[in-house]
Amino acid sequence: MRPKALQTLAWVLIYSGLLLAALGWFVQDGGAAWGHAVWIAGLADVAVGVGLIWWRSRMKETD
């Protein structure tokens, strides 16, 4: 995978994960049982995005 595409994917995962985590948090406060699952999925999404940023930092620069 190209470094630019990896970087773009990482940031999409981070921002979508934050959105999911916030949505899950607010739904969970309303009493919905699936809010907890959405919150966990959002945090996992953010963790994968952070992992991709770490992976991108370890890649060698190629032209």
Side-chain angles (χ1 to χ4, degrees):
M1 183 175 259
R2 295 182 332 205
K4 182 68 174 170
L6 187 65
Q7 183 174 343
T8 301
L9 178 62
W11 285 108
V12 167
L13 285 172
I14 288 172
Y15 284 121
S16 66
L18 289 174
L19 181 65
L20 277 175
L23 176 67
W25 186 328
F26 287 117
V27 170
Q28 179 183 357
D29 286 344
W34 58 272
H36 189 68
V38 172
W39 183 70
I40 295 296
L43 291 180
D45 202 11
V46 170
V48 170
V50 169
L52 287 178
I53 287 179
W54 175 81
W55 184 23
R56 167 66 180 97
S57 72
R58 300 295 180 205
M59 292 176 76
K60 295 185 186 275
E61 291 292 326
T62 57
D63 292 331

